[in-house]
Amino acid sequence: MPKPSRNVLFKVTCPIGNTVELWEKTWEGHSKPRHAEQDHIGDLKKVQATIEDPDQMRLSTHPVVGSDSCLYERTVAGTNALMRIAVIYDSPGFQVGGLQGHVTGIYMPEPGSGGYVGEIFWLAERMKGKKQ
């Protein structure tokens, strides 16, 4: 049986060579309504930039999908606001690139907030030497 078609809002490549899609159902049905108070969430260009040119990438520690899930993070230009994007991949091993994934969540965590955020495994050159 064929998979149902998904309306893809964008498909981009991250710095380590993974391909990431944002599905309309995730954008319209989860991220925008659930995090509407976070005004940068509504800007698709900022979401894309966070995946294409993140400040850092972290491992997820989520108990169910952690081994298949990555967190892309970027400070929104002109602000101190951090955008975090959770992406789940088809299989473990996303740290070496070449995999396909899709966005499962887009949010702006409060400073010091917890969650299933693990260690940084990739850091942009511009961030090296800066306090994390």
Side-chain angles (χ1 to χ4, degrees), residues 36-76:
E37 75 285 358
Q38 300 172 339
D39 60 348
H40 297 291
I41 295 298
D43 188 335
L44 273 175
K45 289 182 183 190
K46 290 177 182 170
V47 174
Q48 280 184 256
T50 301
I51 298 167
E52 292 178 309
D53 188 25
D55 292 338
Q56 59 200 21
M57 293 182 233
R58 292 180 177 267
L59 299 176
S60 169
T61 60
H62 192 282
V64 176
V65 296
S67 64
D68 297 342
S69 186
C70 174
L71 302 169
Y72 292 83
E73 296 180 334
R74 181 181 171 104
T75 301
V76 176

